[in-house]
Amino acid sequence: MDLTDKVAVVTGASSGIGAATARALAAEGCTVVAVARRGERLEALAAQAPGIHPHVADVTDDAAVTDLVERVERDFGACHVLVNNAGVRSHTQFRGPDDVGDFIHVLDVNLVAVARCTAAFSRLLLASAPSRVINVGSVAGKIGLGSPAYSAAKFGVVGFSEALRVDWGQGDVAVCVVNPGYVHTEGFPQDRFLRIPVLRRLVVSPEVVAAAIVEVARSGQRERTVPRWYRTFVVLRHVVPPLVWAVGGRLLRR
């Protein structure tokens, strides 16, 4: 799909992968509606490229998402690419009843909001076809290492994307999932890896993920791991799971 003059909506666009993706899509000629809660960040982002239009919304709010869809349809008349990127990290371990609230919050932002936005935009995506839904999952959604809440949410994103692709069939709305590994962002600083020279290669920049999202927007590829060599870990998780748990556990403990 040629991205020139297409309309893209990117959630979680105030920083990190979302901001980098908004810039990358705008550079390809897209009109980009950048969505997040922090309006001042979105205004600063929009000042960097004339094709970026800020929209303040909380993707966990049904009414706010409805307003977003109405604004996109009214002002731009189409949605060719929906990038469901909004996400938060878990700030607690899972030790008992006190941690359930955090667990539910992480699932609401990282998983339920993906379904909410996809459902809300479904009619406009179909009317704008060929179009793409690109859900930002994670390697943590393929290998259960790290925060239980975050991994559960990202496993859900991967499963939702795969099942929705089948449910929607082989039509003109392609459902895609991009699974980044460790990415250095404001919300996920990855300090424990960056301070160890031999582990720094595990961490990539938001721009690397954004470039992959642009490629998926063009191609409609079903699934993409970023960087590509992280796919090795996913394969090993199924072939020799004890090795993955042992090595992964040691890395996280360090």
Side-chain angles (χ1 to χ4, degrees):
M1 184 168 72
D2 182 0
L3 296 177
T4 306
D5 297 327
K6 296 299 191 294
V7 178
V9 176
V10 181
T11 69
S14 60
S15 64
I17 293 171
T21 299
R23 289 191 294 265
L25 287 169
E28 293 293 322
C30 284
T31 295
V32 180
V33 181
V35 183
R37 292 178 301 170
R38 295 181 291 184
E40 71 285 353
R41 292 285 192 94
L42 294 177
E43 293 292 344
L45 176 65
Q48 299 173 25
I52 298 177
H53 303 265
H55 185 96
V56 177
D58 182 347
V59 293
T60 66
D61 185 315
D62 288 333
V65 172
T66 298
D67 289 344
L68 167 64
V69 176
E70 290 176 351
R71 188 259 174 117
V72 172
E73 185 168 21
R74 180 182 67 249
D75 292 355
F76 306 106
C79 179
H80 302 99
V81 180
L82 171 63
V83 182
N84 286 311
N85 166 74
V88 295
R89 66 186 295 186
S90 175
H91 293 283
T92 68
Q93 296 176 308
F94 197 82
R95 293 291 184 267
D98 291 342
D99 300 320
V100 173
D102 176 75
F103 186 91
I104 292 172
H105 173 65
V106 171
L107 260 65
D108 193 17
V109 177
N110 293 28
L111 173 58
V112 178
V114 171
R116 178 180 292 111
C117 291
T118 302
F121 274 98
S122 58
R123 181 184 59 80
L124 189 56
L125 285 162
L126 183 61
S128 308
S131 53
R132 317 284 194 230
V133 176
I134 303 176
N135 297 325
V136 178
S138 172
V139 172
K142 307 288 282 189
I143 304 173
L145 293 171
S147 158
Y150 187 78
S151 289
K154 293 302 185 180
F155 264 87
V157 170
V158 172
F160 173 73
S161 302
E162 292 180 354
L164 185 64
R165 186 184 308 126
V166 175
D167 189 38
W168 283 10
Q170 302 299 316
D172 289 331
V173 182
V175 180
C176 318
V177 60
V178 173
N179 294 318
Y182 293 108
V183 185
H184 177 58
T185 66
E186 177 186 339
F188 298 80
Q190 312 299 355
D191 293 336
R192 59 185 172 181
F193 293 107
L194 292 175
R195 65 171 175 257
I196 303 173
V198 73
L199 298 181
R200 287 175 187 164
R201 290 189 61 187
L202 293 174
V203 182
V204 299
S205 69
E207 286 71 25
V208 171
V209 183
I213 291 173
V214 169
E215 290 179 13
V216 170
R218 288 199 195 99
S219 67
Q221 181 180 350
R222 292 182 176 186
E223 185 173 0
R224 174 73 179 272
T225 304
V226 187
R228 290 183 187 273
W229 59 268
Y230 260 79
R231 183 72 182 170
T232 304
F233 298 132
V234 177
V235 173
L236 289 175
R237 177 253 184 273
H238 294 283
V239 177
V240 283
L243 176 63
V244 173
W245 306 139
V247 174
R250 289 187 62 184
L251 285 174
L252 291 174
R253 285 192 293 272
R254 291 187 66 177

